Amino acid sequence: MTEYENTILRLWLTGMEGVGIKTQKRLLSFFGDESGIYNASYNELARVVPTEKAEKIAGNKSLTGAKELYEKYAERNIKIIYPGHEYYPEKLLHIYDYPEILYVRGDIKSIKTTGIAVVGSRNPTIYGSETAAYFAVYFSGKDICTISGLARGIDSAAHKGAIDGGGKTVAVLGCGINVTYPRENAELYAEIEKNGAIISEYGFDVGPLPGQFPMRNRIISGISDGVLVVEARKKSGSLITADYALEQGRQVYALPGRIFDLCSEGTNNLIKQGAMCVTNPTDIIFDMYGREEENNIFENEEINLTEEEKNIYFHIGLEPTYIDDIIAKSKCQTSKAISILYGLLDKGLIKQPVDGYYIKKIY
């Protein structure tokens, strides 16, 4: 059969109400492919699935709806892949409960490239967001795709970092392929489509229901070579991704945090449980791919600065520091300190995450 015919039959099967993924897998395992299921009689189907499902499948052989749906996806440049399709990631076939259908927007080849998942808190610290973006920027420079879930916080920071670094990024949705969630990420959704791919096992207009996001996480880890958890509370959803990664035989990496920081409680526990502690993207590159890389995340401190600039720069870290505190700690005159801060901004050594607050720029 042609790819078009296979895809139509796949849409027919997966779109049948009351025929879930477990039933689909059972049928495909028994009959070999969609064509075998489509051509099977009621008696043949009833040998594999309950009689009510056999009746439903045997009595619904119209492909009109599937063909109309295919055209709607094609009009929106949404590709449909499934096990056996040339672009279906082989890595996914080796995980438990792999998706029987995936909808893809953007560069379909991105989902089969070398990739690291970067996940974490939806309410991270500035430190967490900056670090997630920094790691993604670095991965981009090494032709490593950054994979995440388009959620608020760490996910968004990782996607943006990959785009800023000129690399590829893949977003795995827990809702329909045409649904932007959260809505504030509409612009980021469009950027990812241009600089990578968006994938989902859910078709048109499927809302972001809570139970779909844990299932989404198995795909994030499943198409990745390893998973980095940047910040996570004790019961963070990103720990579910880490659990899936371990089940799937993927390496789990965790960024350490301060012991009294609730945002790092989950990641610190991961490290205690055996996740690899990383403080530099080169740690992951070497462990995962055996490539030794030189990288100093504090290389900005080696840039030539005057003594006055060093004095101001010394009192700025990855936690936002208010301008009055910088002036007080540096014991510098207000007008001079402001002038130096503007100079450091121009040099790209610091940035303002919020008006009046400054952090070091690490990428």
Side-chain angles (χ1 to χ4, degrees), residues 2-64:
T2 65
E3 182 183 316
Y4 171 76
E5 291 170 330
N6 279 331
T7 303
I8 295 300
L9 288 176
R10 179 66 61 154
L11 285 171
W12 165 78
L13 177 63
T14 56
M16 198 170 300
E17 189 176 349
V19 180
I21 190 168
K22 290 182 179 178
T23 301
Q24 293 168 28
K25 286 183 183 295
R26 195 179 308 132
L27 288 165
L28 286 164
S29 176
F30 186 86
F31 291 104
D33 58 22
E34 302 88 343
S35 177
I37 300 169
Y38 183 79
N39 292 315
S41 67
Y42 164 77
N43 289 334
E44 291 172 321
L45 291 165
R47 292 168 55 194
V48 186
V49 297
T51 55
E52 66 273 13
K53 293 188 179 181
E55 286 177 2
K56 184 183 288 288
I57 297 167
N60 181 11
K61 295 299 178 76
S62 172
L63 298 177
T64 302

